[in-house]
Amino acid sequence: MCPHFEGYLVLWSKPLRLHLGVLVVASLLCTSTPIIWLAFRQGSSAAVSAGVQQMREMSLRLIEGYRNTLQGGTEAVALASTLPLLASPPPQDIAAKQQFFLEILRNVPNATSIYTGYPDGSYLQVINTERRDVRQTLAAPDRTAFAIRTIAGRQGADVTSTLRFLDRDAKPIGEREIDYAFFDPRQRPWYQSAVQHGVPVSVGPYVTGTLKVPTLTIAAPMRDNGQVVVGINIHLQTISRLLDAQEISPRARGYIIDDADDLIAHSDPATMERLLGIWSKNADGAVAVDTTTDSYDTSLETVARLRRDPAFANGGVARIDLDGERQILQIAPVGVSGLFKGSVAAIVVPLEDLVAEANRLLLHNLLIAAAFVFAGVAASVLLSRMVSRSLYRLADEARRIGDLDVGEKGVSHSWISEINTLASALAASRHAISQFALYVPREVVRRIVNPEGRAVAKAQRQDVTVLFTDIRDFTTISEQHSPEEVVDTLSAYFELLNTIAERHGGTVVQYLGDSIFVMWNAPVPDANHAENGCRCALAMKAAVEELNVANRRNGRPALVTRFGLHTGAAVVGSFGAISRQQYTAMGDTINVASRLEGLNKEFNTSILVSAAIHDAVGTRFELRSLGLAQVKGRAEKVDLWELVGESRRTQERG
């Protein structure tokens, strides 16, 4: 295979869960995206159509509510203008007049007040005081539901001018006199217009004489006496409330303009406050007030233009671009019974608000689709984790086998049969290598099974430290105890010494009957092999002494061990036939170490080391010189030393 291609394979090699996740996500996106896009396009179009239709219905209903209020006031004035009861000035039939006006206000709840003006300057007015600001203006008690203003006998010396307060049941709860000099109904716009034209009229906006607030008025002369005028007021604040388009949208607004395109009322409280300020300053009752339309609402210029287009003048809906976004505009006339001619109501709603609910629904659907995508991702991740976890577990087990951590473990189980097959194969390999490691030094086995395929090196010369051990009088011990007891005792003994040897970096090369052959610096390099050999011998001696305490307590024989330690050059590596190899070391160093172990019997010592060991460890250990001794099979004598322990300086440093 091409090396470059192999490099690309390694570069693009990713975890299984990533591949599965990408595959599932890609398939979900390929199927869901076109469906979601079509649903969004069709849903948006349907949402706009539904929103416009809803806006048309709600705005017409809103305008109709305003029209009904005007209609109610018009009908009330028309009825009152036919009653002979009202033709006579107060105080004549004052109670009946008040009762009639109270019924009018109860049936026209949006009306602020109803009143009658007479040619002699008399005046009777019933005011709805449900609103707190009205009560505050009149300084009325809190429980006041209606206030009655009466001016009578203006032409005589005893003028009556009072303001009485009634509760909800029309029971009097207070009364006070009120100055009449500043107010004459004959000077008011509604009286003069009705007398002049002799027919019902609409007047306003202008500022009322009693409450001092801007209002619209519907007035009519009495049928039998054109000098007596009946009027009903609807304050601009009430009209603003009637135009409130919040039900359509939080940003929707409604307003009224007259035939001169002047703004009369607006649903926005801040705009209405400015309008009320302008009308309040015009307290002389004049109707013509200059309201610069564009400074109040940016759509006024467009409404003024479209109201003259037959396609929109009678309730048509227009789409306009205003304030940087698409707006829906509804225009409808609000004239009633020939009154308020030329006045129109306009409702303006941002298109985005009309389709907001549909967009929320579309977003909801998108979220559901996203949830399915995420669910698919989660499912793929779960599946891939289930697979990859088993694979990682098997890979970790393979690494442990490579490190000769071959303790018996249960076979990993998975829902995938192929993984179970692989797990069983690894378990069999682990068992085979664990058995192999019992007969060959672990490091040798580790090199044999090395994944890089590097074989154990052929025999070569190198410096090593060698330790031989032997149990004193082991033949006698074997004769005095059963084979089973001997095997159990020897197994515990070997396990102990083997553990200590591995702890000190030594490799147990061979078991020779009751003896152990331990080597350092091969096959694992060890710069301090002589020191580690000395420490290992001392540790083994101490451990055997502790073992003997337990053996005596359990009725087992005590094992007195002798040690021989030497360092030097030897030939180390694999020896044997082609079909059967053994890892070991050969040479004079090995023979000397073995002979040193046997000399312990003559010198009555436990650990004998050579001069080479003495020279290698220096003063780090306490060594007692025993002089030169002849070693069997060697012409030259060997300088013997007894290893007593570590020096105090070494112990303190440690």
mmCIF file of all heavy atoms in Angstrom, residues 12 59 74 100 124 144 150 165 190 264 281 307 313 349 470 495 504 538:
data_model
loop_
_atom_site.group_PDB
_atom_site.id
_atom_site.type_symbol
_atom_site.label_atom_id
_atom_site.label_comp_id
_atom_site.label_asym_id
_atom_site.label_seq_id
_atom_site.Cartn_x
_atom_site.Cartn_y
_atom_site.Cartn_z
ATOM 1 N N TRP A 12 -7.356 10.321 8.998
ATOM 2 C CA TRP A 12 -8.809 10.302 9.054
ATOM 3 C C TRP A 12 -9.355 9.208 9.962
ATOM 4 O O TRP A 12 -10.561 8.974 9.985
ATOM 5 C CB TRP A 12 -9.372 10.129 7.649
ATOM 6 C CG TRP A 12 -9.202 11.361 6.826
ATOM 7 C CD1 TRP A 12 -8.269 11.607 5.870
ATOM 8 C CD2 TRP A 12 -9.968 12.556 6.927
ATOM 9 N NE1 TRP A 12 -8.406 12.863 5.361
ATOM 10 C CE2 TRP A 12 -9.452 13.476 5.993
ATOM 11 C CE3 TRP A 12 -11.060 12.945 7.720
ATOM 12 C CZ2 TRP A 12 -9.974 14.746 5.823
ATOM 13 C CZ3 TRP A 12 -11.586 14.210 7.554
ATOM 14 C CH2 TRP A 12 -11.045 15.097 6.616
ATOM 15 N N SER A 59 -59.691 44.722 14.119
ATOM 16 C CA SER A 59 -59.694 46.179 14.000
ATOM 17 C C SER A 59 -61.086 46.692 13.673
ATOM 18 O O SER A 59 -61.519 47.728 14.207
ATOM 19 C CB SER A 59 -58.686 46.612 12.936
ATOM 20 O OG SER A 59 -59.017 46.059 11.673
ATOM 21 N N THR A 74 -75.581 59.335 20.324
ATOM 22 C CA THR A 74 -76.479 59.985 19.368
ATOM 23 C C THR A 74 -77.935 59.621 19.654
ATOM 24 O O THR A 74 -78.834 60.485 19.649
ATOM 25 C CB THR A 74 -76.100 59.573 17.936
ATOM 26 O OG1 THR A 74 -74.745 59.942 17.676
ATOM 27 C CG2 THR A 74 -77.012 60.247 16.922
ATOM 28 N N PHE A 100 -83.807 60.680 34.727
ATOM 29 C CA PHE A 100 -83.677 60.335 33.311
ATOM 30 C C PHE A 100 -82.213 60.351 32.877
ATOM 31 O O PHE A 100 -81.740 59.437 32.192
ATOM 32 C CB PHE A 100 -84.497 61.324 32.473
ATOM 33 C CG PHE A 100 -84.320 61.130 30.999
ATOM 34 C CD1 PHE A 100 -84.865 60.037 30.344
ATOM 35 C CD2 PHE A 100 -83.564 62.039 30.253
ATOM 36 C CE1 PHE A 100 -84.685 59.863 28.981
ATOM 37 C CE2 PHE A 100 -83.380 61.863 28.891
ATOM 38 C CZ PHE A 100 -83.942 60.768 28.255
ATOM 39 N N LEU A 124 -78.337 71.999 33.693
ATOM 40 C CA LEU A 124 -78.416 70.772 34.483
ATOM 41 C C LEU A 124 -77.488 69.745 33.843
ATOM 42 O O LEU A 124 -77.621 69.444 32.654
ATOM 43 C CB LEU A 124 -79.848 70.236 34.526
ATOM 44 C CG LEU A 124 -80.027 68.906 35.270
ATOM 45 C CD1 LEU A 124 -79.665 69.068 36.750
ATOM 46 C CD2 LEU A 124 -81.459 68.392 35.127
ATOM 47 N N THR A 144 -68.405 58.439 45.578
ATOM 48 C CA THR A 144 -69.266 59.115 44.604
ATOM 49 C C THR A 144 -69.306 58.334 43.285
ATOM 50 O O THR A 144 -68.271 57.973 42.731
ATOM 51 C CB THR A 144 -68.754 60.532 44.334
ATOM 52 O OG1 THR A 144 -68.730 61.259 45.559
ATOM 53 C CG2 THR A 144 -69.658 61.244 43.334
ATOM 54 N N THR A 150 -76.075 71.896 39.002
ATOM 55 C CA THR A 150 -77.328 72.619 38.734
ATOM 56 C C THR A 150 -77.073 74.117 38.802
ATOM 57 O O THR A 150 -76.458 74.608 39.766
ATOM 58 C CB THR A 150 -78.413 72.241 39.748
ATOM 59 O OG1 THR A 150 -78.585 70.825 39.747
ATOM 60 C CG2 THR A 150 -79.732 72.919 39.396
ATOM 61 N N PHE A 165 -73.427 65.145 45.120
ATOM 62 C CA PHE A 165 -72.751 63.873 44.880
ATOM 63 C C PHE A 165 -73.657 62.724 45.303
ATOM 64 O O PHE A 165 -74.227 62.737 46.416
ATOM 65 C CB PHE A 165 -71.434 63.820 45.649
ATOM 66 C CG PHE A 165 -70.526 64.984 45.351
ATOM 67 C CD1 PHE A 165 -70.345 66.006 46.283
ATOM 68 C CD2 PHE A 165 -69.884 65.074 44.135
ATOM 69 C CE1 PHE A 165 -69.531 67.081 45.997
ATOM 70 C CE2 PHE A 165 -69.055 66.146 43.841
ATOM 71 C CZ PHE A 165 -68.878 67.164 44.773
ATOM 72 N N TRP A 190 -70.990 73.674 21.937
ATOM 73 C CA TRP A 190 -72.074 72.739 21.641
ATOM 74 C C TRP A 190 -73.436 73.431 21.587
ATOM 75 O O TRP A 190 -74.282 73.103 20.760
ATOM 76 C CB TRP A 190 -72.106 71.592 22.670
ATOM 77 C CG TRP A 190 -72.155 72.044 24.119
ATOM 78 C CD1 TRP A 190 -71.111 72.304 24.915
ATOM 79 C CD2 TRP A 190 -73.328 72.314 24.885
ATOM 80 N NE1 TRP A 190 -71.510 72.704 26.166
ATOM 81 C CE2 TRP A 190 -72.898 72.710 26.168
ATOM 82 C CE3 TRP A 190 -74.703 72.261 24.639
ATOM 83 C CZ2 TRP A 190 -73.760 73.058 27.200
ATOM 84 C CZ3 TRP A 190 -75.582 72.584 25.667
ATOM 85 C CH2 TRP A 190 -75.112 72.988 26.935
ATOM 86 N N ILE A 264 -57.203 63.458 16.322
ATOM 87 C CA ILE A 264 -58.174 63.735 17.385
ATOM 88 C C ILE A 264 -57.857 62.927 18.640
ATOM 89 O O ILE A 264 -57.846 63.450 19.753
ATOM 90 C CB ILE A 264 -59.603 63.404 16.903
ATOM 91 C CG1 ILE A 264 -59.930 64.210 15.652
ATOM 92 C CG2 ILE A 264 -60.619 63.669 18.011
ATOM 93 C CD1 ILE A 264 -59.838 65.704 15.833
ATOM 94 N N LYS A 281 -54.792 73.532 26.331
ATOM 95 C CA LYS A 281 -54.331 74.914 26.185
ATOM 96 C C LYS A 281 -55.328 75.747 25.379
ATOM 97 O O LYS A 281 -55.385 76.964 25.513
ATOM 98 C CB LYS A 281 -52.970 74.932 25.494
ATOM 99 C CG LYS A 281 -51.844 74.378 26.359
ATOM 100 C CD LYS A 281 -50.532 74.351 25.596
ATOM 101 C CE LYS A 281 -49.424 73.738 26.442
ATOM 102 N NZ LYS A 281 -48.148 73.660 25.695
ATOM 103 N N ARG A 307 -56.776 57.415 2.709
ATOM 104 C CA ARG A 307 -58.189 57.564 3.052
ATOM 105 C C ARG A 307 -58.998 58.094 1.864
ATOM 106 O O ARG A 307 -60.225 57.951 1.826
ATOM 107 C CB ARG A 307 -58.339 58.495 4.254
ATOM 108 C CG ARG A 307 -57.912 59.926 3.964
ATOM 109 C CD ARG A 307 -58.126 60.831 5.151
ATOM 110 N NE ARG A 307 -59.538 60.989 5.441
ATOM 111 C CZ ARG A 307 -60.009 61.820 6.367
ATOM 112 N NH1 ARG A 307 -59.156 62.535 7.107
ATOM 113 N NH2 ARG A 307 -61.285 61.929 6.579
ATOM 114 N N ALA A 313 -60.596 53.382 1.657
ATOM 115 C CA ALA A 313 -61.333 54.338 2.484
ATOM 116 C C ALA A 313 -62.434 53.701 3.309
ATOM 117 O O ALA A 313 -62.805 54.218 4.362
ATOM 118 C CB ALA A 313 -61.920 55.440 1.588
ATOM 119 N N VAL A 349 -50.643 47.899 12.569
ATOM 120 C CA VAL A 349 -50.055 46.753 13.279
ATOM 121 C C VAL A 349 -48.820 46.282 12.516
ATOM 122 O O VAL A 349 -48.887 46.063 11.301
ATOM 123 C CB VAL A 349 -51.053 45.583 13.402
ATOM 124 C CG1 VAL A 349 -50.458 44.454 14.234
ATOM 125 C CG2 VAL A 349 -52.367 46.053 14.000
ATOM 126 N N ASP A 470 19.894 -20.752 48.675
ATOM 127 C CA ASP A 470 19.777 -22.191 48.932
ATOM 128 C C ASP A 470 19.276 -22.366 50.362
ATOM 129 O O ASP A 470 19.593 -21.556 51.249
ATOM 130 C CB ASP A 470 21.127 -22.893 48.755
ATOM 131 C CG ASP A 470 21.001 -24.407 48.903
ATOM 132 O OD1 ASP A 470 20.236 -25.005 48.120
ATOM 133 O OD2 ASP A 470 21.633 -24.947 49.812
ATOM 134 N N GLU A 495 7.198 -17.920 46.508
ATOM 135 C CA GLU A 495 6.356 -16.763 46.209
ATOM 136 C C GLU A 495 6.872 -15.518 46.910
ATOM 137 O O GLU A 495 6.917 -14.420 46.335
ATOM 138 C CB GLU A 495 4.903 -17.044 46.637
ATOM 139 C CG GLU A 495 3.924 -15.915 46.351
ATOM 140 C CD GLU A 495 3.748 -15.652 44.877
ATOM 141 O OE1 GLU A 495 3.912 -16.601 44.085
ATOM 142 O OE2 GLU A 495 3.451 -14.491 44.508
ATOM 143 N N HIS A 504 12.717 -5.424 43.773
ATOM 144 C CA HIS A 504 14.043 -4.798 43.712
ATOM 145 C C HIS A 504 14.617 -4.819 42.304
ATOM 146 O O HIS A 504 15.823 -4.607 42.121
ATOM 147 C CB HIS A 504 15.011 -5.499 44.680
ATOM 148 C CG HIS A 504 14.708 -5.195 46.128
ATOM 149 N ND1 HIS A 504 13.727 -5.857 46.838
ATOM 150 C CD2 HIS A 504 15.249 -4.279 46.989
ATOM 151 C CE1 HIS A 504 13.684 -5.398 48.077
ATOM 152 N NE2 HIS A 504 14.588 -4.426 48.192
ATOM 153 N N LEU A 538 19.337 -8.681 51.490
ATOM 154 C CA LEU A 538 18.982 -8.312 52.866
ATOM 155 C C LEU A 538 17.481 -8.422 53.095
ATOM 156 O O LEU A 538 17.035 -8.891 54.157
ATOM 157 C CB LEU A 538 19.460 -6.883 53.154
ATOM 158 C CG LEU A 538 20.980 -6.683 53.210
ATOM 159 C CD1 LEU A 538 21.321 -5.199 53.295
ATOM 160 C CD2 LEU A 538 21.572 -7.434 54.396
#
